[in-house]
Amino acid sequence: MMADGRLIDGSWELNIHVTDLDLQRTLRVTGDLHIGGVMLRLVEELDIAIDWSDHALWMPEQNMWLSRTRTTLDQYGVQADARLEFTPMHKSLRVQLPDLQYVDMRVDFSVRVFTGVVQICKQLGVRHAEELSLLASYDEKVIRKGGRTPENRQYTRQANRSSLNTSTNSTGRPGSQQGTPQATLWRGPGVGRSPASFNAQNSFNANGTLSPGSMHNLSFDTSYVNGVDASFAISPMPSPEALASVVNPRSYVERARINGGWLDSSVSLMEQSFRENDMILLRYKFLVFYDINPKYDAVRINQIYNQAHWTLLNEEVDCTEEEMLMFAALQFQIQLQSNLPQPDLSPSGTQETDDIDAALNDLQMSLEGHTFGRRPGDITSIPELQDYLRFMKPKKYTMKSFKTYWFVFRDTTICMYKNRDSANSAPLWNANLKGCEVNPDVHISGKKYGIKIMLPSPEGMNEVWLRCENEQQYVKWMAACKLASKGKTMADSTYDAEVSSLSAFMSMQTPSPALAIHSSQADIQPELFVARRFLKKFKSQRMAQRILEAHANVSELSLYDAKMSYIRAWQALPEFGVTYFTVNFRGSRKEELIGIAYNRLVRVNTSNGNVLKTWRFNTMKAWNVNWETKHVIINFEEEDVVFYCTSADCKVIHEFIGGYIFCSMRSKDSSQTLNEEMFHKLTGGCA
């Protein structure tokens, strides 16, 4: 024998810790032994009649799973001084849902986070898991003051763990016995149902179906909706622990720090320093909600609604006072409807007949032809708008007022003339709105119907303001401007729908003269309905009264319609869907702010959130990352954008861009099977 423990034949001793039995075993191995052989010899050495199929080897020093069973110890770099762990791949994880419920479930810690999220969503009964991801729970002190580098923030989670959940083996929590993830989802302490009552027979398995024997119970148990725990579809009041965990960002920089906690979808939970019983946040990351169907998406709609609610309440997305009251009114209607029986929208019974009728109607219209919603190539004339509007081009340190001009909107171009008679001459001003930013500037009670247009230019964004005379004029011009910014004309099939959506949005904000419910019959806590800054303007009793006044406009909505109205109104806000990060642009040490949305990258004023410049993804030629310098490089048709992210790892930025491109590729004409390989090609990089 040699001094280092090796025999002359090249064998050496390998120490392995069996975590769930707390046993230490030593095997004599050689470097050409493959991982599968190591596990087989270990199980034979233990000689214990247990199902070991969920176990794998973990290498703590290298922070990685030895998951490729045909790879040898030498290829993995395992030597005599290594200490391996033989541990279950499925471990308990405490997940906070978008509605702030805590759910304890068994999750595979050895697979990529993206695959883990798919498994979690199957257990919850949520479709389109590609829209969600996991976010590390954030420390309020770090959000307020910063202080951690992106690299440390991305892979160090020890400080965020609860002091109550420090066990690192699979038996650390009562009831966390070995088993597959299909029947191991239960409520956290004090929330919802107990582990025993859920796991007994009514488990929702990872394939989206009910376990044997559960259908009989569901026919009598109203706490389940279409096979899913009803509290996922109709959320209970968050626990005090959940409410205390909510952080209200006070600036755009603090919003950016929160986004530094998104996990790497291409790496496993264990490899990102998460351990058993840790707490993590499940959130919608890519805010492009595809194919929402009330028959199948009761849980999904509820979770999207709740994420919208808490982003508004925490002021992560700005809105006006009238919009906030509208959201509060919809929330109150949702609470009222949650206590009432709702129509059966399950994919069975008469609904199938409705689907057949709808398909036959679509076929008839396609064969006979119809005039509604035709594409530009289907019509002989392109629609246009003509009317008098007020116009102003704001400038710094200059007091200017609105002046009335004659405007013509055709294709994606808007032209301004002195008056109607001069419309055949050269315009005083014109602009192609493709690629611009269009934001509302509306105050209904003050009869202010404005449109703010930010036009891209080499120097940045040039701002112009339009002012309409009334609501009817506003919705037509606003819809045309929004479509033009996306490169679409009024001939597009979505124009009428956009006009209708804007009209409905405006009508919900219009004060109603009569109350649907008297204040004595309603128990409203304004702090749970409106953001803090609005509570400072009115006393609680007055705010509750204003919520009831706004509720009169939405008192006839069903639960589904109220939630969908809330989601659509959230999507209509100017800041919706923009995820912020702090960066240093190439050649500059100044910390600046960028935002990533589903169709664009924006440069933002750090102090007030105003857009300084916009780059559309449809003009992007390529994007990549220099993994050595951590610089993100995006090649647009007009210029190259290079920056270093200071609030997150560069992989997070790379994944957001690739993820939104992946979401844009979804189509009803293509296969509905989730293409994980394509997702990782677009988001994984080569770090």
Side-chain angles (χ1 to χ4, degrees):
M1 179 180 290
M2 302 176 66
D4 62 355
R6 293 176 180 264
L7 292 176
I8 297 176
D9 63 359
S11 64
W12 41 275
E13 292 183 343
L14 176 64
N15 294 311
I16 303 177
H17 179 223
V18 184
T19 58
D20 43 351
L21 300 180
D22 197 20
L23 295 176
Q24 196 78 22
R25 287 291 182 269
T26 302
L27 301 179
R28 180 156 291 278
V29 299
T30 57
D32 59 358
L33 181 63
H34 56 77
I35 298 301
V38 174
M39 291 191 291
L40 180 61
R41 288 182 55 183
L42 176 63
V43 171
E44 291 174 348
E45 172 79 14
L46 290 170
D47 194 23
I48 300 175
I50 294 178
D51 181 4
W52 298 101
S53 61
D54 189 46
H55 285 61
L57 290 173
W58 168 256
M59 191 173 182
E61 293 85 355
Q62 298 298 322
N63 197 44
M64 69 176 181
W65 289 96
L66 308 185
S67 55
R68 298 190 298 273
T69 55
R70 295 186 179 183
T71 302
T72 66
L73 293 172
D74 281 343
Q75 290 171 326
Y76 264 124
V78 179
Q79 299 179 355
D81 59 348
R83 298 292 183 269
L84 303 185
E85 293 180 0
F86 192 53
T87 186
M89 293 178 286
H90 287 91
K91 300 177 184 292
S92 298
L93 185 68
R94 196 176 197 211
V95 181
Q96 188 191 68
L97 304 183
D99 63 358
L100 304 190
Q101 288 190 78
Y102 288 107
V103 179
D104 291 337
M105 54 178 58
R106 294 186 67 79
V107 178
D108 193 339
F109 275 57
S110 68
V111 297
R112 292 169 168 175
V113 163
F114 184 86
T115 305
V117 171
V118 172
Q119 295 174 356
I120 291 172
C121 289
K122 283 182 178 179
Q123 294 185 59
L124 297 174
V126 174
R127 298 194 308 147
H128 297 291
E130 67 274 10
E131 297 168 355
L132 297 99
S133 191
L134 298 177
L135 179 69
S137 57
Y138 30 80
D139 183 354
E140 185 173 1
K141 292 181 180 179
V142 174
I143 299 304
R144 300 295 183 216
K145 298 181 180 179
R148 283 192 289 178
T149 64
E151 291 76 14
N152 289 336
R153 183 181 295 109
Q154 186 66 14
Y155 295 107
T156 303
R157 308 295 178 196
Q158 304 291 340
N160 290 332
R161 294 198 188 124
S162 168
S163 59
L164 298 177
N165 298 329
T166 57
S167 174
T168 58
N169 62 56
S170 64
T171 58
R173 179 185 292 274
S176 62
Q177 62 270 22
Q178 269 301 112
T180 60
Q182 280 88 335
T184 49
L185 177 145
W186 63 84
R187 279 292 177 282
V191 182
R193 303 168 67 84
S194 66
S197 65
F198 190 89
N199 286 330
Q201 290 181 332
N202 298 329
S203 58
F204 186 85
N205 72 25
N207 295 318
T209 59
L210 288 164
S211 61
S214 62
M215 290 302 293
H216 173 76
N217 289 344
L218 287 178
S219 62
F220 301 97
D221 189 354
T222 57
S223 63
Y224 286 84
V225 177
N226 298 333
V228 181
D229 193 335
S231 62
F232 295 150
I234 302 176
S235 302
M237 178 67 186
S239 66
E241 177 191 1
L243 292 174
S245 70
V246 175
V247 177
N248 182 13
R250 299 168 184 168
S251 66
Y252 287 92
V253 172
E254 291 186 4
R255 296 185 200 180
R257 289 172 183 158
I258 290 176
N259 292 321
W262 287 106
L263 267 61
D264 187 338
S265 296
S266 302
V267 182
S268 71
L269 283 167
M270 284 278 280
E271 290 167 327
Q272 297 185 66
S273 297
F274 280 90
R275 297 296 181 264
E276 184 160 19
N277 298 326
D278 279 357
M279 198 270 281
I280 202 166
L281 314 181
L282 178 69
R283 295 291 186 269
Y284 278 89
K285 179 177 182 178
F286 304 108
L287 303 179
V288 279
F289 310 121
Y290 179 72
D291 187 28
I292 292 181
N293 190 323
K295 299 178 189 178
Y296 311 103
D297 291 332
V299 174
R300 183 183 177 207
I301 291 169
N302 182 61
Q303 297 302 326
I304 295 173
Y305 152 70
N306 274 279
Q307 182 158 328
H309 165 62
W310 290 108
T311 57
L312 290 166
L313 213 62
N314 297 334
E315 301 180 49
E316 294 178 37
V317 176
D318 287 334
C319 64
T320 66
E321 181 179 319
E322 290 171 332
E323 290 167 344
M324 189 78 258
L325 289 170
M326 176 199 64
F327 284 117
L330 287 168
Q331 180 186 343
F332 183 61
Q333 177 66 7
I334 290 167
Q335 290 186 1
L336 294 176
Q337 288 292 312
S338 297
N339 299 319
L340 301 175
Q342 299 296 319
D344 182 17
L345 296 175
S346 61
S348 60
T350 58
Q351 295 295 327
E352 293 182 359
T353 305
D354 293 341
D355 287 343
I356 295 172
D357 290 340
L360 290 173
N361 288 335
D362 291 342
L363 177 61
Q364 180 180 359
M365 294 178 72
S366 63
L367 292 175
E368 296 178 354
H370 56 94
T371 58
F372 175 75
R374 288 185 170 178
R375 300 285 176 176
D378 298 330
I379 61 177
T380 57
S381 61
I382 297 177
E384 64 179 35
L385 288 176
Q386 301 184 33
D387 213 336
Y388 280 104
L389 302 175
R390 286 180 288 167
F391 174 86
M392 185 174 75
K393 194 172 184 180
K395 292 185 179 181
K396 289 185 178 180
Y397 315 116
T398 303
M399 296 297 293
K400 296 189 67 176
S401 60
F402 284 92
K403 293 184 178 180
T404 302
Y405 296 95
W406 178 257
F407 283 85
V408 177
F409 202 125
R410 184 180 175 87
D411 289 333
T412 59
T413 302
I414 185 170
C415 299
M416 182 180 75
Y417 303 90
K418 184 176 181 180
N419 52 49
R420 185 172 188 172
D421 296 334
S422 61
N424 293 325
S425 59
L428 299 176
W429 172 86
N430 68 294
N432 189 329
L433 301 191
K434 184 177 180 180
C436 73
E437 292 286 326
V438 179
N439 293 317
D441 183 22
V442 176
H443 190 268
I444 294 177
S445 59
K447 295 186 177 182
K448 174 185 175 183
Y449 304 98
I451 303 172
K452 290 185 176 181
I453 302 174
M454 305 288 287
L455 298 165
S457 69
E459 296 78 25
M461 301 293 281
N462 294 328
E463 188 173 4
V464 296
W465 296 353
L466 302 179
R467 186 69 60 84
C468 301
E469 292 297 325
N470 51 56
E471 180 181 322
Q472 292 73 25
Q473 187 185 53
Y474 167 79
V475 295
K476 293 178 181 178
W477 285 83
M478 185 64 178
C481 291
K482 289 179 71 174
L483 288 181
S485 69
K486 303 172 185 177
K488 300 179 180 179
T489 71
M490 287 176 285
D492 191 87
S493 61
T494 58
Y495 174 71
D496 289 334
E498 187 68 38
V499 171
S500 300
S501 176
L502 287 169
S503 297
F505 186 53
M506 301 286 285
S507 64
M508 285 191 292
Q509 299 179 60
T510 304
S512 179
L515 297 181
I517 295 180
H518 195 269
S519 57
S520 60
Q521 301 174 301
D523 181 18
I524 296 179
Q525 297 175 271
E527 62 274 12
L528 297 178
F529 285 81
V530 298
R532 296 179 185 177
R533 74 175 188 274
F534 298 111
L535 292 174
K536 298 176 182 178
K537 297 180 64 176
F538 302 97
K539 293 183 178 179
S540 294
Q541 187 174 0
R542 175 55 182 155
M543 180 58 74
Q545 180 68 20
R546 296 195 67 188
I547 293 173
L548 289 176
E549 292 171 359
H551 172 256
N553 291 322
V554 298
S555 59
E556 301 298 322
L557 295 179
S558 66
L559 178 63
Y560 166 74
D561 290 335
K563 286 183 178 179
M564 288 306 301
S565 295
Y566 197 108
I567 293 169
R568 292 189 190 106
W570 178 47
Q571 291 174 305
L573 296 176
E575 290 189 359
F576 165 78
V578 181
T579 306
Y580 296 102
F581 300 93
T582 54
V583 301
N584 294 132
F585 283 96
R586 182 169 59 182
S588 173
R589 294 184 179 180
K590 179 183 177 183
E591 189 173 71
E592 299 188 57
L593 198 68
I594 66 163
I596 301 176
Y598 77 97
N599 62 349
R600 66 195 187 279
L601 176 75
V602 293
R603 191 172 187 170
V604 182
N605 186 306
T606 307
S607 59
N608 57 24
N610 289 341
V611 176
L612 303 176
K613 189 154 189 176
T614 299
W615 299 276
R616 295 275 170 177
F617 287 157
N618 58 11
T619 66
M620 182 172 63
K621 297 185 291 185
W623 84 99
N624 55 78
V625 174
N626 184 325
W627 299 106
E628 294 181 0
T629 63
K630 302 291 185 180
H631 279 79
V632 180
I633 306 159
I634 309 176
N635 308 116
F636 292 98
E637 292 177 357
E638 57 268 33
E639 63 180 317
D640 293 342
V641 179
V642 183
F643 56 81
Y644 170 81
C645 186
T646 60
S647 62
D649 191 272
C650 60
K651 176 63 167 60
V652 179
I653 302 280
H654 184 278
E655 190 169 306
F656 261 96
I657 297 173
Y660 272 124
I661 291 174
F662 176 81
C663 290
S664 70
M665 297 167 62
R666 297 178 295 184
S667 170
K668 291 185 179 180
D669 297 331
S670 61
S671 172
Q672 293 300 296
T673 304
L674 183 58
N675 191 341
E676 291 192 32
E677 182 181 355
M678 178 59 69
F679 179 87
H680 290 298
K681 281 183 178 179
L682 291 169
T683 64
C686 53

